[in-house]
């Protein structure tokens, strides 16, 4: 399959279907079909068990055999049935659509379960597609890893065809678009309204969904799903082991290869990534990232308030950057950077600081190190319990080469802050890719920066803080050492 360059129209129309369907298209040139050597028809590529000899595979063929075969079939089907034909042609295989209509979590929640998505699609002989409604179409931020030089062993078109009735078309609001998609056939999930029984185990939910897709729903052309599986990675790994697989994906280089096979930054986001690299001399593989999550509920005790504002609403409503909250945030930033500097070779390299709170980034990387600002702002010398958190932070900032991008647009949480223009969410994707390109990563609360390490595969990472409450499910964290510096 020969794929041309992306055709991107940057002119947005906020009326009608363009509110939900983004101006993104792929032009495809058909060539001779390539079928899986283990397919009994053009839409069968089930795992048959056992991983084969991988010694002869080059870098572009580093994925497990079952994934290679599925993706080769996926590419062929999308070439044979371009555009809406994948949904309207009776000879086209059925599709499985990973949807996000509202509250789907952060980036790790939304994109960190590609292995699970591929497994379900593969085991049900369906073409995997992705369709976001909120906060915007995923294609506003990430696009398929396809180019004019792509070949059959690279890239996959996961985009949902434009203009399909009943799939977010002809609607004037995002809620109307979401209502359309929500009415489509769907297997039970464990997110929001898709959850049928909270007592159902994840493994049972997964097995029941696959049974439905291979049974009662087999002849339904398009079925949606909202299953969060990245917090139960051991279930998928156990199933892969039972099928004779040796690559568990989540903790191997396959995870990153898979991510990059699906996604690349939208040109607008890539432009920002390139600009920040050049501005701060961030050469991939030669700098460290320190990430701080100060608006996450699990960073504090349940029911905690700051200035009468509940922490549980912080991602949606924000918290005033003042008083006790500000002091805690500054302390966390200082610790993150200091712990990052304990990793081998980090102290002499740039440390890129990123956080969910823009005012924190601006404060520690701009205000604290600006002599004029410090002289005119008495609050920079604020003491809390005789512990000058600002002086400690200033010491850390001057000791190490800490840099951060400008915070001209306040960081918006992709799940909790809706109704903003696409540009307001760019920073989330920019920082993710800068985290992926880092040699080392220091992370604490939440899964955002840890997600970057899963994609990059770096073993140079350290954890400086742990969630105060709740159960940690993601097994990938277990291989990360904790920072030994005193808190």
């Amino acid at each position: 399959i020969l794929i041309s360059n992306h055709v991107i129209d940057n002119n947005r129309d906020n009326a009608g279907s363009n509110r939900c369907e983004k101006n993104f298209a792929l032009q495809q040139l058909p060539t001779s079909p390539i079928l899986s050597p283990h397919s009994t028809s053009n839409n069968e590529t089930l795992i048959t068990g056992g991983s084969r000899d991988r010694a002869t595979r080059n870098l572009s063929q580093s994925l497990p055999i079952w994934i290679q075969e599925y993706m080769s079939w996926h590419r062929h089907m999308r070439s044979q049935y371009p555009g809406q034909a994948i949904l309207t042609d009776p000879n086209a295989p059925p599709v499985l659509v990973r949807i996000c209509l509202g509250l789907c979590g952060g980036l790790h929640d939304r994109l960190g379960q590609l292995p699970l998505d591929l497994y379900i699609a593969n085991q049900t002989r369906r073409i995997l597609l992705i369709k976001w409604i909120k906060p915007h179409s995923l294609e506003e931020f990430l696009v398929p890893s396809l180019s004019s030089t792509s070949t059959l062993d690279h890239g996959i078109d996961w985009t949902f065809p434009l203009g399909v009735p009943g799939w977010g078309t002809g609607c004037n609001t995002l809620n109307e678009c979401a209502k359309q998609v929500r009415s489509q056939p769907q297997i039970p999930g464990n997110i929001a309204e898709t959850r049928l029984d909270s007592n159902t185990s994840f493994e049972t939910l997964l097995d029941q969904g696959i049974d439905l897709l291979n049974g009662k729903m087999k002849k339904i052309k398009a079925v949606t799903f909202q299953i969060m599986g990245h917090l139960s990675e051991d279930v998928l790994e156990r199933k892969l082991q039972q099928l004779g697989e040796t690559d568990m994906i989540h903790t191997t280089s396959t995870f990153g290869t898979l991510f990059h096979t699906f996604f690349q930054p939208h040109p607008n986001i890539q432009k920002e990534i390139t600009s920040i690299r050049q501005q701060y001399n961030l050469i991939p593989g030669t700098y460290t990232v320190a990430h701080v999550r100060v608006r996450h509920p699990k960073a504090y005790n349940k029911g905690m308030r700051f200035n009468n504002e509940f922490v549980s609403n912080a991602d949606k409503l924000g918290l005033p950057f003042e008083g006790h909250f500000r002091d805690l945030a500054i302390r966390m930033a200082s610790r993150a950077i200091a712990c990052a500097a304990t990793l081998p070779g980090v102290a002499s390299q740039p440390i890129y600081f990123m956080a969910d709170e823009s005012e924190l980034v601006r404060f520690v990387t701009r205000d604290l190190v600006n002599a004029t600002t410090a002289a005119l702002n008495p609050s920079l010398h604020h003491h809390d319990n005789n512990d000058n958190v600002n002086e400690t932070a200033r010491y850390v900032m001057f000791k190490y080469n800490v840099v951060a991008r400008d915070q001209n647009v306040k960081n918006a949480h992709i799940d909790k802050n809706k109704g903003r223009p696409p540009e307001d969410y760019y920073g989330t994707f920019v920082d993710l890719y800068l985290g992926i390109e880092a040699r080392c990563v220091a992370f604490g609360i939440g899964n955002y920066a840890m997600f970057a390490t899963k994609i990059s595969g770096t073993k140079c990472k350290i954890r400086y803080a742990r969630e105060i409450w709740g159960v940690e499910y993601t097994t990938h964290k277990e291989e990360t050492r904790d920072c030994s510096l005193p808190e």
Side-chain angles (χ1 to χ4, degrees), residues 267-325:
N268 293 344
I269 289 178
Q270 184 59 60
K271 181 179 179 181
E272 292 199 18
I273 294 172
T274 302
S275 175
I276 294 169
R277 279 196 203 126
Q278 295 173 345
Q279 183 177 359
Y280 299 108
N281 194 31
L282 298 177
I283 302 171
T286 66
Y287 64 91
T288 291
V289 156
H291 174 254
V292 169
R293 185 85 158 84
V294 296
R295 296 190 310 201
H296 196 294
K298 291 186 179 181
Y300 312 95
N301 293 322
K302 287 185 177 181
M304 190 169 184
R305 299 187 186 190
F306 290 107
N307 296 328
N308 292 321
E309 298 288 344
F310 281 106
V311 172
S312 57
N313 296 325
D315 276 333
K316 182 176 182 179
L317 304 176
L319 289 170
F321 190 66
E322 59 188 31
H324 188 45
F325 170 69

Side-chain angles (χ1 to χ4, degrees), residues 70-277:
Y70 173 81
M71 297 180 78
S72 178
W73 170 73
H74 189 294
R75 282 185 283 262
H76 172 58
M77 291 296 100
R78 295 229 65 180
S79 176
Q80 186 171 341
Y81 303 101
Q84 294 187 15
I86 195 68
L87 296 170
T88 59
D89 194 310
N91 295 317
V95 304
L96 180 66
V97 189
R98 161 70 71 177
I99 59 173
C100 179
L101 309 181
L103 295 177
C104 310
L107 282 190
H108 185 235
D109 297 338
R110 295 174 179 230
L111 301 176
Q113 45 204 355
L114 278 179
L116 174 71
D117 295 355
L118 276 177
Y119 174 81
I120 299 174
N122 186 82
Q123 300 303 83
T124 58
R125 309 173 185 88
R126 286 178 175 265
I127 294 294
L128 177 63
L129 304 177
I130 302 174
K131 187 174 182 66
W132 287 10
I133 296 294
K134 297 180 180 180
H136 293 279
S137 169
L138 177 57
E139 293 91 318
E140 285 281 2
F141 314 111
L142 301 176
V143 295
S145 294
L146 303 170
S147 70
S148 58
T149 59
S150 291
T151 60
L152 280 172
D153 62 1
H154 182 75
I156 188 170
D157 180 10
W158 43 264
T159 61
F160 193 91
L162 297 176
V164 180
W167 288 86
T169 58
C171 40
N172 295 313
T173 67
L174 292 180
N175 285 336
E176 289 180 12
C177 295
K179 185 177 181 180
Q180 283 188 13
V181 179
R182 192 174 288 115
S183 67
Q184 298 296 331
Q186 182 171 184
I187 60 174
N190 55 3
I191 299 176
E193 72 279 355
T194 67
R195 185 185 291 108
L196 297 181
D197 183 359
S198 59
N199 295 321
T200 301
S201 70
F202 172 73
E203 185 166 11
T204 298
L205 180 71
L206 176 59
D207 291 341
Q208 290 177 347
I210 291 176
D211 288 343
L212 277 173
L213 291 170
N214 286 331
K216 293 181 180 180
M217 305 181 80
K218 186 178 181 67
K219 294 184 179 180
I220 299 178
K221 177 65 78 171
V223 178
T224 68
F225 75 115
Q226 297 183 78
I227 297 178
M228 184 179 293
H230 66 287
L231 301 180
S232 302
E233 293 175 347
D234 58 315
V235 173
L236 177 58
E237 291 173 3
R238 187 164 58 249
K239 291 186 177 298
L240 292 176
Q241 288 175 338
Q242 291 169 353
L243 290 164
E245 289 295 306
T246 58
D247 188 338
M248 297 300 99
I249 304 176
H250 302 114
T251 57
T252 72
S253 61
T254 295
F255 189 92
T257 302
L258 193 58
F259 183 87
H260 292 304
T261 302
F262 266 74
F263 306 116
Q264 63 182 355
H266 184 285
N268 293 344
I269 289 178
Q270 184 59 60
K271 181 179 179 181
E272 292 199 18
I273 294 172
T274 302
S275 175
I276 294 169
R277 279 196 203 126

Side-chain angles (χ1 to χ4, degrees), residues 290-294 296 298-300 328-329 331-340 441-450 461-469 472 477 480-487:
H291 174 254
V292 169
R293 185 85 158 84
V294 296
H296 196 294
K298 291 186 179 181
Y300 312 95
L328 289 177
R331 278 202 187 95
M332 194 175 297
S334 299
R335 177 170 174 78
I337 296 168
C339 287
V441 175
F443 69 89
I445 309 300
N447 294 318
Y448 177 76
M450 187 271 296
K461 51 188 176 180
I462 194 168
R463 193 172 188 193
Y464 62 86
R466 287 185 173 270
E467 286 86 353
I468 291 179
W469 55 272
E472 291 188 313
K477 291 182 179 178
T480 305
R481 72 180 179 90
D482 289 328
C483 179
S484 60
L485 295 179
E487 296 191 25

Side-chain angles (χ1 to χ4, degrees), residues 340-444:
T342 66
L343 292 168
V346 168
S348 61
Q349 297 177 337
I351 298 177
Y352 180 75
F353 179 69
M354 57 192 194
D356 60 345
E357 177 53 64
S358 296
E359 290 190 54
L360 173 63
V361 178
R362 186 182 303 111
F363 181 82
V364 298
T365 64
R366 302 294 193 271
D367 295 346
L368 276 180
V369 297
N370 186 308
T372 302
T373 303
L376 297 176
N377 191 348
S379 68
L380 297 186
H381 304 286
H382 169 71
H383 286 258
D384 177 34
N385 295 328
N386 297 319
D387 177 15
N388 194 333
V389 295
N390 296 327
E391 286 300 326
T392 300
R394 185 184 289 111
Y395 170 80
V396 170
M397 294 300 298
F398 278 105
K399 183 175 182 179
Y400 306 111
N401 179 19
V402 183
V403 299
R405 62 179 170 84
D406 291 333
Q407 304 290 304
N408 298 325
V409 177
K410 189 175 179 64
N411 289 333
H413 192 281
I414 198 166
D415 199 53
K416 302 296 179 63
N417 299 137
K418 304 293 197 306
R420 302 187 183 189
E423 294 77 10
D424 281 13
Y425 305 94
Y426 280 4
T428 298
F429 292 88
V430 168
D431 283 348
L432 175 68
Y433 271 88
L434 290 173
I436 293 170
E437 294 176 347
R439 184 178 75 86
C440 301
V441 175
F443 69 89

